[in-house]
Amino acid sequence: MSSSDKPELVERDVKDKVDDKEDNSGFIDKVKGFIHDIGEKIEETIGFGKPTADVAEIHLPCINLEKAEIVVDVLIKNPNPVPIPLVDIDYLIESDGRKLISGLIPDAGTIHAHGEETVKIPVTLIYDDIKSTYDDIKPGSIIPYRLKVDLIVDVPVFGRLTLPLEKTGEIPIPYKPDIDMEKIHFERFSWEETIAVLHLKLENKNDFDLGLNALDYEVWLSEVSIGSAALEKSAKIDKNGISCIEIPISFRPKDFGSALWDMIRGKGTGYSMKGHINVDTPFGAMKLPISKEGGTTRLKKNREDGGDDDDDEVC
């Protein structure tokens, strides 16, 4: 064989290898296609499909000056003929891009075959943690939030899937109202029992309205409790507004001791009030504390026309 025939042998050998490689590649592609077709046929026959999820509702079962308890209801639907495990729940709550709280709930349960489940995600926001981290978040304000939830499920045929969810809203940072006693109107006065009406001023320092529906508190006069009182009718306190309410109260002046004589002599005596108010807000019901320390009260002098003024002046 001449030397000129050798290149033909080399070319033929390379061509054979290329043909073999193309045959192998085509064979693998055919196997992959066959497996994919089988998977689709199994999926169609057995009825496997991807689950769906949605945020059904967000509750605020408890909100006060210290914290807000949030419960997120997530509705998950499983179209598959077998139960699927909810492997993990990864959640994040942020405000203006800043993290407020995040967490992970492992082994969150199982979604029944051809069924749906409402999964509850409990989250607690501690206001002191938020205010200490972000100085611009003030008591009484309303802040926007974005909730992000990743549900990780394990589905036959598909494997592990992540179902991302998002929800936006607003949440308050409550501030306790200021309370002050403007005056006491005496309806009946006796040493054994005196009936009076307290004229109270409530100032709402929040950026949302308060629907006052219950109030209970106790009044001390010179460190002597003169009794407790309760609200008889509801009232509305506008956001950053002031409302005046009247509260009936009865007490026994003879129990006051020297404090009553100080009032009568015009010297004045200290008083304080402590209690709670129950209010309705756009975010749910709240129970907020109220208090007043260091007030002074004295009986007014007779009027110039000779009549008696039956009101007690409060400073």
Side-chain angles (χ1 to χ4, degrees):
M1 182 181 298
S2 65
S3 60
S4 60
D5 293 333
K6 289 183 181 179
E8 293 182 2
L9 290 175
V10 172
E11 289 177 2
R12 188 180 296 112
D13 184 57
V14 171
K15 183 179 180 181
D16 290 341
K17 289 182 179 179
V18 170
D19 291 340
D20 290 341
K21 186 176 182 180
E22 289 178 352
D23 290 343
N24 291 335
S25 176
F27 176 74
I28 292 174
D29 290 339
K30 288 179 181 179
V31 171
K32 287 182 178 179
F34 178 71
I35 293 175
H36 177 74
D37 291 341
I38 291 178
E40 287 187 343
K41 293 298 182 182
I42 292 175
E43 181 182 336
E44 292 174 2
T45 303
I46 301 179
F48 283 108
K50 294 182 180 180
T52 60
D54 191 24
V55 177
E57 195 170 357
I58 296 179
H59 308 274
L60 290 170
C62 177
I63 184 167
N64 51 42
L65 297 183
E66 290 79 31
K67 64 182 180 179
E69 294 181 359
I70 305 171
V71 177
V72 182
D73 289 348
V74 177
L75 179 63
I76 306 174
K77 297 181 179 181
N78 177 20
N80 298 290
V82 295
I84 59 173
L86 182 53
V87 181
D88 289 320
I89 299 176
D90 195 0
Y91 64 84
L92 166 70
I93 297 179
E94 60 182 17
S95 179
D96 293 330
R98 300 177 298 183
K99 185 180 78 170
L100 300 181
I101 192 172
S102 63
L104 178 70
I105 303 175
D107 302 325
T110 302
I111 314 302
H112 296 300
H114 292 305
E116 58 183 45
E117 298 285 340
T118 298
V119 178
K120 296 184 179 295
I121 306 174
V123 182
T124 299
L125 290 178
I126 306 297
Y127 291 132
D128 281 347
D129 294 343
I130 296 174
K131 290 181 287 188
S132 63
T133 305
Y134 307 113
D135 294 337
D136 59 320
I137 297 180
K138 303 298 183 183
S141 62
I142 300 173
I143 61 173
Y145 74 84
R146 180 182 299 275
L147 168 70
K148 297 180 180 180
V149 177
D150 284 339
L151 304 174
I152 302 173
V153 295
D154 197 348
V155 184
V157 178
F158 295 99
R160 286 200 172 187
L161 300 176
T162 298
L163 309 178
L165 302 173
E166 278 198 19
K167 194 78 170 181
T168 59
E170 292 181 327
I171 193 167
I173 311 294
Y175 194 70
K176 75 173 186 176
D178 276 354
I179 186 171
D180 206 353
M181 188 189 303
E182 291 194 313
K183 66 177 181 178
I184 304 174
H185 176 76
F186 293 97
E187 295 188 343
R188 190 179 73 203
F189 186 90
S190 72
W191 293 107
E192 292 297 329
E193 183 183 35
T194 290
I195 297 176
V197 176
L198 306 181
H199 292 252
L200 304 179
K201 181 175 69 175
L202 280 171
E203 182 179 359
N204 179 12
K205 294 188 173 183
N206 295 283
D207 291 337
F208 50 90
D209 296 342
L210 300 178
L212 180 62
N213 52 45
L215 178 151
D216 62 89
Y217 71 95
E218 193 168 1
V219 182
W220 284 266
L221 190 61
S222 186
E223 299 182 355
V224 177
S225 175
I226 66 172
S228 59
L231 183 69
E232 288 191 336
K233 59 182 181 180
S234 60
K236 179 185 177 183
I237 314 175
D238 295 330
K239 63 179 182 180
N240 299 308
I242 297 175
S243 180
C244 295
I245 59 175
E246 298 178 1
I247 305 292
I249 189 172
S250 61
F251 53 88
R252 291 157 51 95
K254 69 178 185 179
D255 295 336
F256 291 1
S258 61
L260 179 62
W261 295 111
D262 289 339
M263 291 171 57
I264 294 174
R265 292 168 183 166
K267 292 182 178 180
T269 186
Y271 76 90
S272 61
M273 298 180 292
K274 292 182 181 179
H276 293 85
I277 59 173
N278 292 341
V279 296
D280 291 326
T281 75
F283 309 96
M286 299 185 194
K287 186 173 184 178
L288 303 176
I290 53 174
S291 62
K292 172 68 176 180
E293 301 279 351
T296 302
T297 181
R298 60 175 59 87
L299 290 177
K300 288 183 179 179
K301 296 179 181 180
N302 293 341
R303 298 198 304 261
E304 292 182 358
D305 59 6
D308 292 332
D309 195 332
D310 61 354
D311 284 352
D312 185 14
E313 187 182 52
V314 179
C315 303

